Amino acid sequence: MNSAVQTTTIPTTNNAQAPDMGELTPYQTGPALTQAMLTQQGIALEWQDGQQTTLPLLWLRDHCACPACRHPQTRERLYLPLEAISEPPTVALLDGHLHLNWQDGHVSTFHSGWLYQRRPEATLASAVPNAKPWIDNFAPERINHSDFLTPQGEKAWLTAMLRDGLALITDGPLVEEEVSRLAERIGPLRATNFGARFDVRSKPNPNNAAYTAVGLPLHVDLPNWQQPPDIQLLYCLQNEASGGESLFADGARVVEALRQQDPKALAILSETPIDFRFQDESHDISMRAPVVTLDSAGNLVEMRLNNWIRDALHLPVEQMDAWYSAYALLWKLFHSEAHQLEFTLHPGQMIAFDNRRVLHGRREFDPNSGARHLQGTYLDRDMLASRLRVLARNV
Ligand code: OGA
Ligand code: ZN
Ligand code: ZN
């Protein structure tokens, strides 16, 4: 392919319709293109603000948003990019947008703002925050129940959940199933062997430690599942019993503390799969995985710490003592005052947390001193991120 002359058309009219890229996230506000030029690498572009990039011809062909290349209703890709582009298109700018006429007669138009967002040199903007480990004296975001029912309040809750892994809703009504109604605003409830919605109170024939009055040390729910639930919501309807305070600690922060204190212990816990298992009359659900899963950069992917769901430790004998001492150190760090958040959930409050990141627990309570009743459910993290992106379309 030859370097051809630069093909630029200065905006002359506002009549031409700006290209529709079939995208619901806004892209229309970016700067106009001022130059488009065929080069050896593809098409070199320059925008009004001086930003430049070069996009390969096949990339451009692949991203054509015409109804033949991208389904006009589903917005999904129809074009299949299996062949290199042998002949370059003719290139034009119309009202600052890119127009390509391919040699086979196909026409592609690209909105300048859409291309600007997707230039390879830029980081793709996202409405979804990264997880941020708790700092000293971390205090959870508190959102009023009535505010949560507005787009701004819901956005604040979603942002806090994805950033901090924990957020509190206050001043909610004392009605059964409110937890399900709140959860369903975000996404479908994630059902487990305990149902789509569960009641946490002391029960006559408990099949789970949570359904007794005993204290629950910090834990992850359902680490015995291949895919433990992401987000847990616990709505307090009654809490008159003495004791029963809620406990939380951030896995992202504690894993960092362990890395500082004893990197070898962290390596053992993140590289040694162990067994988790739940069994009752109708279920036997088990999973083998490490207590800590890290990504290739060493960031926490998920925690699986739950001492009563842990199955028999099946390891080579010479690894057992080292595993137990690493486990004890992690346990101590989680339960240290510096890392543990403790407060009483009041009726009408809902605490929600990222079950695979933030560990939760409760102090023992005395069921004879008063009633304690929480209703809980789970959600997928994908649905929180999705809601946030949808809400961010309107800013
Ligand atoms: C649970 C749980 C905490 C509580 O149901 O999984 O940990 O405060 N409950 O009862
Ligand atoms: Zn097309
Ligand atoms: Zn739990």
Side-chain angles (χ1 to χ4, degrees):
M1 171 197 325
N2 292 323
S3 312
V5 269
Q6 148 186 353
T7 320
T8 306
T9 309
I10 302 303
T12 50
T13 166
N14 301 322
N15 295 343
Q17 270 212 331
D20 177 2
M21 302 305 290
E23 199 83 60
L24 293 173
T25 297
Y27 53 84
Q28 291 84 355
T29 54
L33 283 162
T34 53
Q35 267 192 54
M37 190 165 37
L38 202 55
T39 70
Q40 293 288 348
Q41 285 72 43
I43 294 178
L45 299 172
E46 184 167 339
W47 285 266
Q48 245 167 2
D49 66 352
Q51 292 291 340
Q52 299 178 338
T53 196
T54 296
L55 291 168
L57 294 181
L58 186 55
W59 189 95
L60 287 159
R61 184 63 193 82
D62 185 32
H63 291 80
C64 180
C66 84
C69 297
R70 186 166 188 169
H71 193 286
Q73 272 105 39
T74 69
R75 303 180 184 85
E76 291 166 337
R77 177 176 280 105
L78 298 169
Y79 182 75
L80 180 64
L82 299 186
E83 274 171 45
I85 306 289
S86 49
E87 294 288 327
T90 56
V91 181
L93 286 185
L94 287 175
D95 289 332
H97 304 297
L98 181 64
H99 289 241
L100 302 178
N101 284 279
W102 304 93
Q103 296 299 333
D104 62 0
H106 199 86
V107 175
S108 302
T109 62
F110 295 92
H111 195 289
S112 59
W114 186 92
L115 287 170
Y116 187 81
Q117 284 178 345
R118 283 157 188 77
R119 62 197 200 284
E121 294 74 14
T123 349
L124 270 181
S126 172
V128 178
N130 291 326
K132 194 169 156 244
W134 296 359
I135 53 171
D136 288 345
N137 304 316
F138 165 81
E141 191 91 23
R142 297 168 68 98
I143 290 141
N144 204 280
H145 178 274
S146 55
D147 288 338
F148 177 78
L149 304 181
T150 69
Q152 293 86 334
E154 186 181 342
K155 222 168 116 180
W157 183 83
L158 292 163
T159 303
M161 284 297 298
L162 294 166
R163 182 193 57 213
D164 304 332
L166 180 86
L168 187 67
I169 288 181
T170 65
D171 305 294
L174 297 185
V175 288
E176 297 254 338
E177 293 298 345
E178 185 60 13
V179 70
S180 313
R181 279 186 287 276
L182 295 182
E184 274 159 2
R185 298 176 73 88
I186 310 295
L189 311 188
R190 159 80 195 272
T192 75
N193 56 304
F194 297 108
R197 222 267 299 122
F198 51 89
D199 286 281
V200 184
R201 55 182 153 201
S202 145
K203 298 177 193 180
N205 291 304
N207 65 347
N208 178 330
Y211 303 157
T212 67
V214 302
L216 302 176
L218 291 168
H219 66 282
V220 166
D221 276 12
L222 304 165
N224 57 310
W225 283 59
Q226 293 193 25
Q227 168 91 25
D230 293 333
I231 304 294
Q232 180 166 181
L233 305 115
L234 287 173
Y235 197 104
C236 179
L237 290 171
Q238 286 179 293
N239 204 355
E240 280 86 57
S242 63
E245 296 83 359
S246 298
L247 307 169
F248 300 95
D250 180 16
R253 176 173 159 98
V254 171
V255 159
E256 272 327 297
L258 181 60
R259 196 196 310 279
Q260 295 299 317
Q261 193 167 325
D262 190 343
K264 186 118 195 305
L266 178 58
I268 289 171
L269 293 172
S270 61
E271 289 164 16
T272 313
I274 63 158
D275 293 296
F276 299 91
R277 185 174 186 188
F278 169 87
Q279 47 190 319
D280 67 4
E281 285 64 31
S282 44
H283 294 95
D284 188 338
I285 309 169
S286 99
M287 174 65 184
R288 188 168 174 82
V291 169
V292 180
T293 299
L294 304 174
D295 67 16
S296 57
N299 298 311
L300 179 67
V301 174
E302 69 169 348
M303 290 297 314
R304 287 183 193 255
L305 187 66
N306 181 323
N307 198 53
W308 61 92
I309 290 288
R310 203 162 51 74
D311 199 4
L313 188 68
H314 193 79
L315 289 181
V317 173
E318 65 278 11
Q319 292 179 22
M320 287 186 180
D321 285 340
W323 187 88
Y324 277 117
S325 53
Y327 187 70
L329 182 53
L330 180 67
W331 187 271
K332 227 174 70 196
L333 284 173
F334 263 110
H335 292 85
S336 74
E337 204 141 300
H339 293 141
Q340 207 168 284
L341 197 64
E342 174 168 352
F343 55 89
T344 297
L345 265 184
H346 296 292
Q349 294 188 335
M350 185 186 84
I351 190 71
F353 48 93
D354 187 329
N355 179 57
R356 297 166 74 184
R357 167 184 165 189
V358 171
L359 272 62
H360 66 287
R362 68 152 189 248
R363 302 262 180 228
E364 179 185 7
F365 64 93
D366 175 4
N368 300 317
S369 63
R372 185 179 190 274
H373 182 200
L374 311 182
Q375 288 191 321
T377 188
Y378 302 111
L379 284 169
D380 288 317
R381 205 189 279 143
D382 283 329
M383 290 296 99
L384 274 67
S386 166
R387 278 297 295 160
L388 199 47
R389 290 189 197 100
V390 169
L391 290 168
R393 286 176 187 162
N394 299 320
V395 283

